[in-house]
Amino acid sequence: MTLTFHWFLPTNGDSRHVVGGGHGTPATASGRDRPPTVAYLTQIARAAEDLGFVGALTPTGAWCEDAWLTTAMVSQNTERLKFLVAFRPGFVSPTLAAQMASTFQRQSGGRLLLNVVTGGESHEQRAYGDFLDKDDRYRRTDEFLSIVRELWQGKTVDLEGEHLRVADARLARVPDPVPEVYFGGSSPIAGQVAAKHVDVYLTWGEPPAAVAEKIAGIRRLAAAEGRTLRFGIRLHVITRDTPEQAWAEANRLLAGFDPETIRSVQEGLARSESEGQRRMLALHGGGNRDGLEIHPNLWAGIGLVRGGAGTALVGSHEEVAERIKEYHALGIDEFVLSGYPHLEEAYWFGEGVLPRLEAEGLWAHPSRAGAGQEAAGQAPFAAAGR
């Protein structure tokens, strides 16, 4: 399968330094360096589109701008790029979410992908009026996706679940194409939900052995449901012409981490209920600046000040391409990438790494023969002129 690459829209702000935050911690001051205006996010989206990224992830949470509204506006200034919109099922009814997705597909020319985020932090969920505990949130996500999937098939849905209840629910117009659902979670109950409902299971950037173990477990669960999933990985990237240049940039970012910021962020993340976040923290020992290269070219430094995805591929273009091939050999076909600042790093990766993968027949620009759409499991469609 041809590799699929997505970029990231930093709706919490961008900088030449790492913008921290996420998983219940606020965005750091560096996020004000380049505010997440529609104009700036459009620059990033257009760059990603031109370089050959299929889509762009937009995060969700109190630390960033709303993903639905932001991507709807940016979509009008791009033509091909898809938007991997992160959203939390507990904050909107399943019927309304299914309708929103259907509208987005029609108004964007079929360029919506959905990243379902159950929500790992109870204190942040409560701020939005959601008082379920973690396991109940996953059970609600199970019911939510069951309803949405049936609505997208044009069915009338009646359900009295443990957490959700709908009667005579139906969409006037179903989405075409049906958005693919992306989902991540490292707890046992998250794996069960993924196996039943999602198209692409996402993992954060752990060392290959840990990723292989996670993929094997999800594959077993999906097989028990009679389903086959695709797999993706979420990573930052620092790629340069030489290894020395790449590591110099990583060290520059590290030097900009204020000790008090590290302490404050790590204190907040230590309270996280997310199993994935716990695994990220374990990679750097909860704030240790030493031994951050945890696998060749895999650097855990980002996680010192940022919740969620905390690792980066660091190295020459050739080395980063080799690490991508290593993950691909495990079963990873989709890569959701980012870098600081997101505009410049998109070019470093797009002009440095992608041509090397293309030369080996592992990647093709989506504008050529609809390769990107086919790689993402959807047929090519006409551009919507945004």
Side-chain angles (χ1 to χ4, degrees):
M1 177 181 286
T2 303
L3 295 176
T4 299
F5 292 94
H6 307 281
W7 197 239
F8 185 85
L9 293 183
T11 56
N12 57 324
D14 203 7
S15 176
R16 293 184 180 274
H17 303 281
V18 174
V19 180
H23 272 261
T25 63
T28 50
S30 54
R32 295 191 290 269
D33 293 351
R34 298 186 188 180
T37 63
V38 171
Y40 178 63
L41 296 175
T42 295
Q43 286 187 63
I44 297 172
R46 285 176 170 168
E49 188 170 71
D50 290 343
L51 291 164
F53 292 93
V54 167
L57 171 65
T58 310
T60 182
W63 62 306
C64 57
E65 299 288 354
D66 178 76
W68 284 102
L69 293 174
T70 302
T71 55
M73 288 184 276
V74 174
S75 73
Q76 302 306 299
N77 301 313
T78 54
E79 296 180 353
R80 176 191 54 79
L81 192 72
K82 297 181 183 181
F83 294 91
L84 181 50
V85 175
F87 81 105
R88 303 187 189 188
F91 297 168
V92 63
S93 81
T95 306
L96 178 57
Q99 182 184 18
M100 291 165 63
S102 184
T103 298
F104 200 115
Q105 288 297 66
R106 284 191 297 277
Q107 300 296 345
S108 70
R111 293 189 286 148
L112 175 67
L113 306 169
L114 287 177
N115 179 27
V116 175
V117 179
T118 296
E121 315 308 331
S122 290
H123 67 284
E124 187 178 15
Q125 296 291 124
R126 288 193 294 269
Y128 285 91
D130 179 14
F131 287 82
L132 294 181
D133 64 23
K134 180 181 174 182
D135 282 358
D136 277 335
R137 290 197 296 269
Y138 275 107
R139 284 189 277 271
R140 179 179 59 196
T141 296
D142 185 3
E143 295 176 1
F144 182 98
L145 290 174
S146 295
I147 294 168
V148 168
R149 288 288 198 188
E150 291 198 3
L151 289 171
W152 284 344
Q153 294 173 31
K155 297 179 180 179
T156 299
V157 182
D158 292 280
L159 176 74
E160 284 200 38
E162 180 183 1
H163 300 288
L164 296 175
R165 180 180 180 183
V166 296
D168 200 29
R170 186 178 180 86
L171 294 182
R173 299 175 67 183
V174 298
D176 183 20
V178 170
E180 291 199 299
V181 175
Y182 291 63
F183 180 94
S186 297
S187 63
I189 194 169
Q192 295 166 17
V193 174
K196 290 175 64 175
H197 296 290
V198 310
D199 300 296
V200 180
Y201 176 84
L202 290 174
T203 179
W204 286 330
E206 298 181 31
V211 171
E213 182 180 7
K214 187 178 288 189
I215 288 175
I218 297 297
R219 276 181 171 155
R220 285 193 297 270
L221 292 172
E225 298 288 340
R227 303 184 69 240
T228 300
L229 310 185
R230 301 199 311 279
F231 294 91
I233 193 167
R234 172 79 179 93
L235 286 158
H236 305 277
V237 286
I238 304 172
T239 178
R240 295 294 186 270
D241 295 335
T242 69
E244 294 77 15
Q245 291 171 341
W247 285 108
E249 178 62 13
N251 288 327
R252 184 192 69 79
L253 292 175
L254 183 63
F257 295 172
D258 174 69
E260 175 57 26
T261 299
I262 294 177
R263 186 204 63 77
S264 176
V265 170
Q266 292 304 306
E267 186 178 84
L269 294 178
R271 297 192 294 267
S272 173
E273 300 170 15
S274 165
E275 175 63 16
Q277 184 62 68
R278 184 195 66 77
R279 293 167 70 113
M280 283 285 104
L281 294 181
L283 296 178
H284 57 67
N288 189 356
R289 287 176 178 260
D290 300 320
L292 291 172
E293 189 178 7
I294 56 176
H295 181 78
N297 306 110
L298 184 64
W299 185 61
I302 303 292
L304 294 176
V305 296
R306 185 191 192 279
T311 53
L313 295 179
V314 181
S316 67
H317 306 312
E318 292 84 358
E319 289 173 333
V320 171
E322 287 301 313
R323 295 288 78 75
I324 287 171
K325 289 160 59 178
E326 183 177 8
Y327 282 113
H328 180 45
L330 303 177
I332 298 291
D333 295 317
E334 303 206 18
F335 293 79
V336 183
L337 306 175
S338 56
Y340 299 96
H342 289 75
L343 182 60
E344 288 90 329
E345 288 297 334
Y347 281 103
W348 277 113
F349 184 87
E351 296 177 345
V353 178
L354 289 182
R356 286 167 169 79
L357 296 172
E358 184 171 33
E360 297 187 45
L362 294 173
W363 175 81
H365 196 289
S367 66
R368 291 191 282 275
Q373 288 84 357
E374 292 168 3
Q378 297 178 355
F381 47 76
R386 57 180 177 166

